[in-house]
Amino acid sequence: MSRVYNFSAGPSMLPVPVLERAASEMLDYNGSGMSVMEMSHRSPVYEAIIKEAEAGLRKLMNIPDNYKVLFMQGGATTQFAAVPLNLIGRTGKADYVISGQFSNKAFKEAQRLGFDVRAIASSKDTNFDRIPVITKDMVSPDASYVHICFNNTIYGTKFNYIPDTGNIPLVADMSSCIISEPFDVSKFGVIYAGAQKNMAPAGVTVVIVREDLLEFGKPDMPSMLDWKLMSENSSMYNTPPCYCIYMAKLVYEWILGLGGLDAMKELNQKKAKYLYDYLDSQDYYIAPAVKESRSMMNVTFVTGVEELDKKFPGAAEKAGLVNLKGHRSVGGMRASIYNAMPYEGVVKLVEFMKEFASENPKK
Ligand SMILES: *Cc1c(COP(=O)(O)O)cnc(C)c1O
Protein backbone atom coordinates (compact mmCIF):
# COMPACT_ATOMS: atom_id res chain seq x y z
CA MET A 1 0.00 0.00 0.00
CA SER A 2 1.29 3.46 -0.75
CA ARG A 3 -0.40 6.66 0.27
CA VAL A 4 0.15 9.97 -1.50
CA TYR A 5 0.32 13.43 0.02
CA ASN A 6 -3.09 14.77 -0.92
CA PHE A 7 -3.31 18.57 -1.04
CA SER A 8 -6.98 18.60 -2.06
CA ALA A 9 -9.08 21.53 -0.85
CA GLY A 10 -11.90 19.16 0.04
CA PRO A 11 -12.81 16.43 0.51
CA SER A 12 -9.32 16.17 1.85
CA MET A 13 -6.91 13.98 3.79
CA LEU A 14 -8.03 12.32 7.00
CA PRO A 15 -5.55 11.36 9.72
CA VAL A 16 -4.15 7.86 9.16
CA PRO A 17 -4.76 6.77 12.80
CA VAL A 18 -8.43 7.74 12.35
CA LEU A 19 -8.73 5.75 9.11
CA GLU A 20 -7.03 2.79 10.78
CA ARG A 21 -9.35 2.89 13.74
CA ALA A 22 -12.40 3.14 11.47
CA ALA A 23 -11.07 0.17 9.51
CA SER A 24 -10.56 -1.87 12.67
CA GLU A 25 -14.12 -1.10 13.78
CA MET A 26 -15.68 -1.56 10.35
CA LEU A 27 -17.23 -4.98 10.80
CA ASP A 28 -17.94 -4.95 14.51
CA TYR A 29 -18.27 -1.66 16.34
CA ASN A 30 -17.61 -2.05 20.03
CA GLY A 31 -19.05 -5.56 20.30
CA SER A 32 -22.32 -4.62 18.57
CA GLY A 33 -21.68 -7.16 15.80
CA MET A 34 -22.26 -4.55 13.12
CA SER A 35 -20.70 -1.58 11.40
CA VAL A 36 -21.65 1.95 12.46
CA MET A 37 -23.02 2.24 8.89
CA GLU A 38 -25.58 -0.44 9.61
CA MET A 39 -26.97 0.69 12.96
CA SER A 40 -30.25 2.29 13.80
CA HIS A 41 -29.63 5.91 14.71
CA ARG A 42 -32.10 5.37 17.58
CA SER A 43 -30.10 2.52 19.10
CA PRO A 44 -28.33 3.12 22.43
CA VAL A 45 -24.98 2.29 20.82
CA TYR A 46 -25.42 4.99 18.18
CA GLU A 47 -26.83 7.51 20.65
CA ALA A 48 -23.60 7.12 22.59
CA ILE A 49 -21.60 7.86 19.42
CA ILE A 50 -23.40 11.12 18.59
CA LYS A 51 -23.21 12.23 22.23
CA GLU A 52 -19.47 11.51 22.32
CA ALA A 53 -19.00 13.39 19.05
CA GLU A 54 -20.69 16.45 20.52
CA ALA A 55 -18.76 16.14 23.77
CA GLY A 56 -15.50 15.81 21.83
CA LEU A 57 -16.14 18.97 19.83
CA ARG A 58 -17.26 20.87 22.94
CA LYS A 59 -14.08 19.93 24.74
CA LEU A 60 -11.85 20.65 21.76
CA MET A 61 -13.31 24.10 21.04
CA ASN A 62 -14.13 24.92 24.64
CA ILE A 63 -17.72 25.68 23.58
CA PRO A 64 -19.63 27.55 26.31
CA ASP A 65 -22.75 25.88 27.77
CA ASN A 66 -25.07 28.49 26.28
CA TYR A 67 -24.20 27.31 22.76
CA LYS A 68 -25.92 24.44 20.96
CA VAL A 69 -23.99 22.07 18.72
CA LEU A 70 -25.96 20.75 15.74
CA PHE A 71 -25.04 18.10 13.19
CA MET A 72 -26.86 19.00 10.00
CA GLN A 73 -26.86 18.02 6.32
CA GLY A 74 -26.58 19.73 2.96
CA GLY A 75 -23.09 21.15 3.37
CA ALA A 76 -22.08 24.68 4.22
CA THR A 77 -23.98 25.77 1.11
CA THR A 78 -27.30 24.80 2.72
CA GLN A 79 -26.37 27.00 5.69
CA PHE A 80 -26.11 29.95 3.27
CA ALA A 81 -29.93 29.71 3.23
CA ALA A 82 -30.37 28.54 6.81
CA VAL A 83 -28.49 31.53 8.27
CA PRO A 84 -30.96 34.21 7.08
CA LEU A 85 -33.97 31.91 7.57
CA ASN A 86 -33.04 31.42 11.21
CA LEU A 87 -31.67 34.84 12.10
CA ILE A 88 -32.98 37.66 9.96
CA GLY A 89 -36.26 37.68 11.86
CA ARG A 90 -34.37 39.55 14.59
CA THR A 91 -34.50 42.90 12.69
CA GLY A 92 -35.31 42.06 9.06
CA LYS A 93 -31.86 43.06 7.76
CA ALA A 94 -28.36 41.66 7.67
CA ASP A 95 -24.78 42.62 6.72
CA TYR A 96 -22.32 40.56 4.68
CA VAL A 97 -18.58 40.85 4.17
CA ILE A 98 -17.52 39.68 0.70
CA SER A 99 -14.04 38.19 0.92
CA GLY A 100 -14.28 35.49 -1.73
CA GLN A 101 -16.57 33.18 -3.65
CA PHE A 102 -18.17 31.41 -0.72
CA SER A 103 -19.08 34.60 1.14
CA ASN A 104 -20.46 35.96 -2.10
CA LYS A 105 -22.54 32.82 -2.55
CA ALA A 106 -23.87 33.22 0.99
CA PHE A 107 -24.82 36.82 0.22
CA LYS A 108 -26.49 35.89 -3.08
CA GLU A 109 -28.43 33.07 -1.45
CA ALA A 110 -29.92 35.49 1.09
CA GLN A 111 -30.83 37.86 -1.77
CA ARG A 112 -32.35 35.00 -3.74
CA LEU A 113 -34.65 34.29 -0.80
CA GLY A 114 -35.76 37.92 -0.98
CA PHE A 115 -34.05 39.16 2.19
CA ASP A 116 -32.81 42.68 2.78
CA VAL A 117 -29.06 42.15 2.94
CA ARG A 118 -26.20 44.58 2.46
CA ALA A 119 -22.56 44.01 1.49
CA ILE A 120 -20.61 46.25 3.88
CA ALA A 121 -17.14 45.46 2.54
CA SER A 122 -15.51 43.56 -0.30
CA SER A 123 -12.05 42.75 -1.61
CA LYS A 124 -13.29 41.86 -5.09
CA ASP A 125 -11.38 44.80 -6.65
CA THR A 126 -8.09 43.08 -5.88
CA ASN A 127 -9.34 39.58 -6.82
CA PHE A 128 -9.86 38.70 -3.15
CA ASP A 129 -6.16 38.76 -2.34
CA ARG A 130 -6.89 40.12 1.14
CA ILE A 131 -9.47 40.31 3.93
CA PRO A 132 -11.32 43.63 3.92
CA VAL A 133 -10.89 45.72 7.06
CA ILE A 134 -14.03 45.63 9.22
CA THR A 135 -14.62 48.19 11.92
CA LYS A 136 -17.56 48.52 14.27
CA ASP A 137 -18.83 51.73 12.62
CA MET A 138 -19.27 49.88 9.29
CA VAL A 139 -21.87 47.54 10.79
CA SER A 140 -25.52 48.55 10.32
CA PRO A 141 -26.96 49.21 13.79
CA ASP A 142 -30.15 47.41 12.73
CA ALA A 143 -28.48 44.31 11.24
CA SER A 144 -29.69 40.95 12.54
CA TYR A 145 -26.16 39.63 12.09
CA VAL A 146 -22.89 40.16 10.24
CA HIS A 147 -21.80 37.24 8.05
CA ILE A 148 -18.14 36.53 7.32
CA CYS A 149 -16.19 33.67 5.80
CA PHE A 150 -13.29 33.20 8.20
CA ASN A 151 -10.95 31.33 5.86
CA ASN A 152 -11.27 31.74 2.11
CA THR A 153 -10.46 28.29 0.77
CA ILE A 154 -10.14 29.36 -2.87
CA TYR A 155 -7.98 32.48 -2.44
CA GLY A 156 -5.87 31.33 0.51
CA THR A 157 -6.79 34.19 2.82
CA LYS A 158 -7.95 34.28 6.42
CA PHE A 159 -9.15 36.79 8.99
CA ASN A 160 -6.20 37.33 11.30
CA TYR A 161 -8.53 38.82 13.91
CA ILE A 162 -12.14 38.41 15.03
CA PRO A 163 -14.04 41.50 13.86
CA ASP A 164 -15.71 43.49 16.62
CA THR A 165 -19.36 43.88 15.62
CA GLY A 166 -20.49 45.21 19.00
CA ASN A 167 -23.77 43.66 20.03
CA ILE A 168 -24.64 42.49 16.50
CA PRO A 169 -24.10 38.70 16.33
CA LEU A 170 -21.16 37.61 14.19
CA VAL A 171 -21.84 34.59 11.96
CA ALA A 172 -18.81 32.80 10.54
CA ASP A 173 -18.43 30.18 7.84
CA MET A 174 -15.44 28.24 9.19
CA SER A 175 -15.63 25.32 6.77
CA SER A 176 -11.93 25.36 5.96
CA CYS A 177 -10.40 26.42 9.29
CA ILE A 178 -12.56 24.98 12.08
CA ILE A 179 -10.49 23.04 14.65
CA SER A 180 -7.23 24.16 13.03
CA GLU A 181 -6.49 26.42 16.03
CA PRO A 182 -8.35 27.65 19.13
CA PHE A 183 -11.06 30.30 18.59
CA ASP A 184 -12.94 32.15 21.28
CA VAL A 185 -16.42 30.81 20.49
CA SER A 186 -18.05 33.41 22.76
CA LYS A 187 -17.06 36.12 20.24
CA PHE A 188 -19.43 34.56 17.69
CA GLY A 189 -23.20 34.23 17.48
CA VAL A 190 -22.96 31.31 15.07
CA ILE A 191 -20.12 29.23 13.63
CA TYR A 192 -20.83 26.72 10.90
CA ALA A 193 -18.64 24.39 8.87
CA GLY A 194 -18.97 21.63 6.32
CA ALA A 195 -16.96 18.64 7.55
CA GLN A 196 -15.01 17.60 4.50
CA LYS A 197 -12.11 20.03 4.85
CA ASN A 198 -10.92 19.45 8.39
CA MET A 199 -13.32 17.17 10.28
CA ALA A 200 -14.78 14.15 8.51
CA PRO A 201 -15.98 12.84 5.16
CA ALA A 202 -18.47 15.01 3.25
CA GLY A 203 -22.03 14.71 4.53
CA VAL A 204 -22.24 16.45 7.87
CA THR A 205 -22.23 20.16 8.65
CA VAL A 206 -21.58 21.42 12.16
CA VAL A 207 -23.55 24.45 13.40
CA ILE A 208 -22.60 26.04 16.73
CA VAL A 209 -25.26 28.55 17.73
CA ARG A 210 -25.78 30.72 20.79
CA GLU A 211 -29.00 29.68 22.48
CA ASP A 212 -30.68 33.10 22.50
CA LEU A 213 -30.41 33.22 18.68
CA LEU A 214 -32.77 30.27 18.28
CA GLU A 215 -35.85 32.48 18.68
CA PHE A 216 -35.90 34.31 15.34
CA GLY A 217 -36.55 31.57 12.77
CA LYS A 218 -39.07 32.05 9.96
CA PRO A 219 -42.10 29.94 10.90
CA ASP A 220 -42.50 28.68 7.33
CA MET A 221 -38.94 27.57 6.70
CA PRO A 222 -38.24 23.94 5.75
CA SER A 223 -37.98 21.83 8.91
CA MET A 224 -34.56 20.52 7.96
CA LEU A 225 -33.09 24.04 8.01
CA ASP A 226 -34.61 24.98 11.36
CA TRP A 227 -31.85 25.20 13.97
CA LYS A 228 -34.31 25.31 16.85
CA LEU A 229 -36.14 22.22 15.67
CA MET A 230 -32.81 20.43 15.16
CA SER A 231 -31.69 21.49 18.60
CA GLU A 232 -34.91 20.28 20.25
CA ASN A 233 -34.38 16.94 18.54
CA SER A 234 -30.67 16.61 19.38
CA SER A 235 -29.80 16.66 15.64
CA MET A 236 -32.02 13.59 15.14
CA TYR A 237 -35.18 15.10 13.70
CA ASN A 238 -34.61 12.65 10.87
CA THR A 239 -31.82 10.15 10.16
CA PRO A 240 -28.56 12.03 10.66
CA PRO A 241 -25.43 11.34 8.55
CA CYS A 242 -24.54 8.62 11.06
CA TYR A 243 -21.21 7.44 9.72
CA CYS A 244 -19.85 10.95 9.10
CA ILE A 245 -20.65 11.91 12.68
CA TYR A 246 -18.81 8.81 13.89
CA MET A 247 -15.79 9.80 11.77
CA ALA A 248 -15.94 13.35 13.16
CA LYS A 249 -15.91 11.87 16.66
CA LEU A 250 -12.74 9.91 15.83
CA VAL A 251 -11.11 13.05 14.43
CA TYR A 252 -11.98 15.07 17.56
CA GLU A 253 -10.55 12.31 19.75
CA TRP A 254 -7.39 12.17 17.61
CA ILE A 255 -6.79 15.91 18.12
CA LEU A 256 -7.57 15.70 21.84
CA GLY A 257 -4.99 12.91 22.03
CA LEU A 258 -2.39 15.17 20.39
CA GLY A 259 -2.98 17.81 23.06
CA GLY A 260 -6.00 19.69 21.70
CA LEU A 261 -6.18 22.80 19.54
CA ASP A 262 -3.06 24.46 20.97
CA ALA A 263 -1.01 21.49 19.79
CA MET A 264 -2.89 21.43 16.48
CA LYS A 265 -2.18 25.12 15.94
CA GLU A 266 1.51 24.66 16.65
CA LEU A 267 1.78 21.95 14.01
CA ASN A 268 -0.32 23.90 11.50
CA GLN A 269 1.78 27.03 12.03
CA LYS A 270 4.97 25.05 11.57
CA LYS A 271 3.70 23.64 8.26
CA ALA A 272 2.43 26.97 6.92
CA LYS A 273 5.60 28.81 7.99
CA TYR A 274 7.81 26.29 6.22
CA LEU A 275 5.92 26.79 2.96
CA TYR A 276 5.54 30.59 3.19
CA ASP A 277 9.18 31.02 4.25
CA TYR A 278 10.20 29.20 1.09
CA LEU A 279 7.80 31.28 -1.04
CA ASP A 280 9.24 34.48 0.44
CA SER A 281 12.84 33.38 -0.10
CA GLN A 282 12.77 33.11 -3.90
CA ASP A 283 11.19 34.74 -6.93
CA TYR A 284 10.22 31.82 -9.17
CA TYR A 285 6.85 31.41 -7.45
CA ILE A 286 4.56 34.26 -6.49
CA ALA A 287 2.10 34.06 -3.57
CA PRO A 288 -0.92 36.22 -4.55
CA ALA A 289 -2.45 36.61 -1.07
CA VAL A 290 -1.18 39.64 0.87
CA LYS A 291 0.94 38.67 3.87
CA GLU A 292 -1.38 39.98 6.59
CA SER A 293 -4.26 37.90 5.21
CA ARG A 294 -2.46 34.63 4.57
CA SER A 295 -4.33 31.43 5.33
CA MET A 296 -2.74 28.75 7.46
CA MET A 297 -4.81 26.06 5.68
CA ASN A 298 -4.81 26.92 1.96
CA VAL A 299 -1.63 28.25 0.39
CA THR A 300 -1.94 29.68 -3.14
CA PHE A 301 0.97 30.31 -5.48
CA VAL A 302 1.59 30.86 -9.20
CA THR A 303 4.66 30.89 -11.44
CA GLY A 304 3.33 33.76 -13.51
CA VAL A 305 3.80 31.66 -16.68
CA GLU A 306 0.65 29.91 -17.83
CA GLU A 307 2.49 27.01 -19.41
CA LEU A 308 4.43 26.29 -16.20
CA ASP A 309 1.34 26.61 -14.03
CA LYS A 310 -0.27 24.00 -16.27
CA LYS A 311 2.71 21.68 -16.06
CA PHE A 312 3.24 21.82 -12.28
CA PRO A 313 0.29 19.75 -10.94
CA GLY A 314 0.92 16.82 -13.29
CA ALA A 315 4.63 16.78 -12.53
CA ALA A 316 3.92 16.96 -8.79
CA GLU A 317 1.51 14.05 -9.08
CA LYS A 318 4.31 11.88 -10.47
CA ALA A 319 6.22 12.69 -7.27
CA GLY A 320 3.29 11.55 -5.09
CA LEU A 321 1.99 15.06 -4.37
CA VAL A 322 -1.57 15.23 -5.66
CA ASN A 323 -4.38 17.75 -6.14
CA LEU A 324 -2.20 20.85 -6.27
CA LYS A 325 -4.07 22.54 -9.10
CA GLY A 326 -5.46 25.90 -8.00
CA HIS A 327 -9.10 26.89 -8.28
CA ARG A 328 -9.95 28.11 -11.78
CA SER A 329 -10.71 31.62 -10.50
CA VAL A 330 -7.17 32.13 -9.15
CA GLY A 331 -5.22 29.83 -11.45
CA GLY A 332 -1.83 28.43 -10.56
CA MET A 333 -1.52 26.15 -7.59
CA ARG A 334 -3.08 25.65 -4.19
CA ALA A 335 -1.71 23.48 -1.42
CA SER A 336 -4.37 22.72 1.17
CA ILE A 337 -2.52 21.74 4.31
CA TYR A 338 -5.31 20.92 6.73
CA ASN A 339 -4.85 19.22 10.10
CA ALA A 340 -4.28 15.76 8.63
CA MET A 341 -1.42 16.83 6.32
CA PRO A 342 1.82 15.77 8.02
CA TYR A 343 4.79 18.15 8.23
CA GLU A 344 6.77 15.75 6.02
CA GLY A 345 4.21 16.33 3.23
CA VAL A 346 4.99 20.05 3.24
CA VAL A 347 8.74 19.40 3.31
CA LYS A 348 8.32 17.08 0.28
CA LEU A 349 6.30 19.74 -1.50
CA VAL A 350 8.97 22.40 -1.00
CA GLU A 351 11.66 19.98 -2.22
CA PHE A 352 9.58 19.34 -5.31
CA MET A 353 9.00 23.06 -5.89
CA LYS A 354 12.76 23.67 -5.85
CA GLU A 355 13.36 20.85 -8.31
CA PHE A 356 10.60 22.05 -10.62
CA ALA A 357 11.99 25.57 -10.59
CA SER A 358 15.50 24.46 -11.50
CA GLU A 359 14.30 22.06 -14.20
CA ASN A 360 11.90 24.54 -15.76
CA PRO A 361 13.65 27.88 -16.00
CA LYS A 362 11.56 30.85 -17.11
CA LYS A 363 12.60 32.06 -20.55
C1 LIG B 1 -16.05 24.12 0.81
C2 LIG B 1 -16.62 25.36 1.38
C3 LIG B 1 -18.00 25.66 1.28
C4 LIG B 1 -18.97 24.76 0.56
O1 LIG B 1 -19.15 23.63 1.28
P1 LIG B 1 -20.19 22.49 0.85
O2 LIG B 1 -20.10 21.56 1.99
O3 LIG B 1 -19.68 21.94 -0.45
O4 LIG B 1 -21.51 23.12 0.69
C5 LIG B 1 -18.46 26.81 1.87
N1 LIG B 1 -17.62 27.65 2.52
C6 LIG B 1 -16.30 27.40 2.61
C7 LIG B 1 -15.43 28.36 3.33
C8 LIG B 1 -15.76 26.26 2.04
O5 LIG B 1 -14.45 26.02 2.13
Side-chain angles (χ1 to χ4, degrees), residues 125-179:
D125 287 352
T126 53
N127 197 31
F128 301 120
D129 66 346
R130 67 199 64 201
I131 296 293
V133 176
I134 311 300
T135 52
K136 213 154 130 181
D137 56 297
M138 293 163 73
V139 175
S140 312
D142 60 347
S144 291
Y145 59 89
V146 179
H147 181 280
I148 62 170
C149 178
F150 211 87
N151 184 77
N152 297 277
T153 325
I154 293 173
Y155 302 90
T157 62
K158 184 193 108 161
F159 274 85
N160 61 12
Y161 66 102
I162 298 175
D164 179 6
T165 53
N167 54 11
I168 314 287
L170 182 62
V171 176
D173 175 356
M174 285 208 179
S175 295
S176 51
C177 61
I178 194 164
I179 64 174

Side-chain angles (χ1 to χ4, degrees), residues 107-334:
F107 177 62
K108 292 275 187 258
E109 186 75 356
Q111 279 187 327
R112 185 186 150 93
L113 291 167
F115 293 124
D116 185 0
V117 289
R118 192 166 83 107
I120 58 166
S122 169
S123 49
K124 187 164 187 268
D125 287 352
T126 53
N127 197 31
F128 301 120
D129 66 346
R130 67 199 64 201
I131 296 293
V133 176
I134 311 300
T135 52
K136 213 154 130 181
D137 56 297
M138 293 163 73
V139 175
S140 312
D142 60 347
S144 291
Y145 59 89
V146 179
H147 181 280
I148 62 170
C149 178
F150 211 87
N151 184 77
N152 297 277
T153 325
I154 293 173
Y155 302 90
T157 62
K158 184 193 108 161
F159 274 85
N160 61 12
Y161 66 102
I162 298 175
D164 179 6
T165 53
N167 54 11
I168 314 287
L170 182 62
V171 176
D173 175 356
M174 285 208 179
S175 295
S176 51
C177 61
I178 194 164
I179 64 174
S180 62
E181 59 180 312
F183 292 106
D184 182 352
V185 174
S186 72
K187 295 272 196 313
F188 298 87
V190 179
I191 292 171
Y192 66 92
Q196 70 273 24
K197 314 289 167 58
N198 227 359
M199 285 194 289
V204 63
T205 307
V206 166
V207 179
I208 302 166
V209 50
R210 211 174 65 210
E211 246 164 28
D212 59 288
L213 297 175
L214 292 174
E215 303 309 319
F216 306 105
K218 296 272 167 206
D220 58 353
M221 83 173 114
S223 303
M224 286 298 290
L225 302 187
D226 187 337
W227 294 339
K228 190 175 187 196
L229 187 69
M230 277 294 156
S231 166
E232 285 165 355
N233 288 277
S234 309
S235 302
M236 296 229 247
Y237 178 71
N238 74 332
T239 318
C242 302
Y243 198 78
C244 292
I245 294 169
Y246 156 75
M247 288 296 288
K249 167 185 123 84
L250 298 188
V251 168
Y252 304 150
E253 289 168 0
W254 171 71
I255 302 172
L256 287 166
L258 296 177
L261 291 187
D262 288 320
M264 202 71 253
K265 179 181 188 178
E266 206 178 305
L267 175 62
N268 286 330
Q269 272 180 332
K270 188 176 152 193
K271 290 185 293 184
K273 184 174 186 306
Y274 192 84
L275 188 44
Y276 283 122
D277 279 355
Y278 169 64
L279 285 168
D280 291 340
S281 72
Q282 51 78 59
D283 53 16
Y284 187 86
Y285 302 100
I286 305 144
V290 303
K291 281 190 183 172
E292 311 78 68
S293 296
R294 280 175 171 175
S295 166
M296 188 165 66
M297 296 280 100
N298 312 96
V299 180
T300 49
F301 59 94
V302 300
T303 63
V305 180
E306 212 184 305
E307 183 197 327
L308 295 174
D309 283 354
K310 272 208 178 117
K311 188 174 176 187
F312 186 101
E317 189 168 331
K318 291 200 182 86
L321 309 164
V322 309
N323 288 318
L324 280 158
K325 191 172 182 297
H327 191 274
R328 56 193 179 278
S329 53
V330 185
M333 280 66 74
R334 169 176 50 178

Side-chain angles (χ1 to χ4, degrees), residues 25-44:
E25 294 177 340
M26 182 60 76
L27 297 182
D28 176 9
Y29 176 77
N30 204 13
S32 65
M34 60 180 100
S35 167
V36 175
M37 290 185 200
E38 302 169 299
M39 310 180 158
S40 162
H41 58 295
R42 307 281 177 205
S43 62

